[in-house]
Amino acid sequence: MSENAPRREPDAPPASRVPTPWVEPAARLPLRWGSYRDRWVLGLLLIAGGLLHLQSSDTGNLIPLITGSAAHVLGWLIMPAAGWRRIVPLGPSTLVVWLLLTGPSSMWTLTVPFLFWLLVRHRPWRSALAVGPVLLNGVVCATLFTEYRWMPVAVALSAAVLVASAWGARALARPVASIRRPARGPEAATAPDTPTASA
């Protein structure tokens, strides 16, 4: 071979073999309005903020009951998710935040909005394993905090457990490296983890 012959560069690896970072399923939805991050942050703030605000209501002041419930519902509605996933939590989750007015013994009911959070975030079924600590937290709160005056402590503890469990559910939702690549070609249309509904 002549020394002046052009040197052939090694072939680049096929694009299908290059692993890509995992992306939240809800982040791939075609949104009708707003951005994914803005709707996710605002929705979470309204869901949690409405729950906390509602806890300040009593028989002599029902305004927080109304405004907290409205904020809680609005938070679910603006989350970036398939339409039906945003509608299903409205009634049950609002009922739970009302039940929390009975005191720390009701903390176990937070398992309901937590499961709906997994639904709205398009988590796979295996992520439901993360509900265990939330339920255990409810049992602990009902055992340790028998009076309503301990409600702020129970709420703070429950919030920490919910956040940790949500991250645990996210970790469980991440696929293994061998299936982390996006589907290509004919398989792309039938990929089970690719949302197609608008939000």
Side-chain angles (χ1 to χ4, degrees), residues 28-198:
R28 298 197 297 267
L29 285 170
L31 303 179
R32 292 192 180 98
W33 61 273
S35 67
Y36 164 77
R37 182 171 179 79
D38 290 345
R39 287 178 58 172
W40 176 82
V41 172
L42 183 57
L44 178 59
L45 289 176
L46 287 172
I47 291 170
L51 183 153
L52 293 175
H53 182 63
L54 187 145
Q55 299 309 306
S56 63
S57 64
D58 53 42
T59 54
N61 182 19
L62 297 179
I63 293 179
L65 182 68
I66 298 171
T67 55
S69 299
H72 189 74
V73 168
L74 182 60
W76 286 115
L77 288 175
I78 68 175
M79 285 294 296
W84 69 271
R85 292 175 183 260
R86 290 176 282 149
I87 298 298
V88 171
L90 299 184
S93 186
T94 304
L95 177 61
V96 166
V97 299
W98 290 349
L99 289 175
L100 291 177
L101 291 171
T102 61
S105 62
S106 298
M107 285 299 166
W108 67 271
T109 61
L110 287 174
T111 56
V112 175
F114 179 78
L115 289 173
F116 283 130
W117 175 257
L118 302 184
L119 179 72
V120 166
R121 299 297 291 151
H122 291 255
R123 298 285 182 243
W125 287 107
R126 62 180 177 273
S127 293
L129 295 173
V131 78
V134 181
L135 184 58
L136 179 61
N137 169 76
V139 174
V140 171
C141 287
T143 303
L144 297 181
F145 311 123
T146 57
E147 299 180 12
Y148 190 83
R149 64 189 178 92
W150 293 105
M151 190 61 172
V153 178
V155 169
L157 177 60
S158 299
V161 172
L162 284 169
V163 170
S165 297
W167 279 104
R170 185 180 189 273
L172 289 170
R174 293 175 66 92
V176 296
S178 61
I179 59 173
R180 194 173 294 166
R181 309 180 187 96
R184 299 177 183 276
E187 299 177 356
T190 58
D193 60 342
T194 304
T196 56
S198 299

Side-chain angles (χ1 to χ4, degrees), residues 6-14:
R7 182 177 299 175
R8 182 178 180 183
E9 296 294 334
D11 294 336

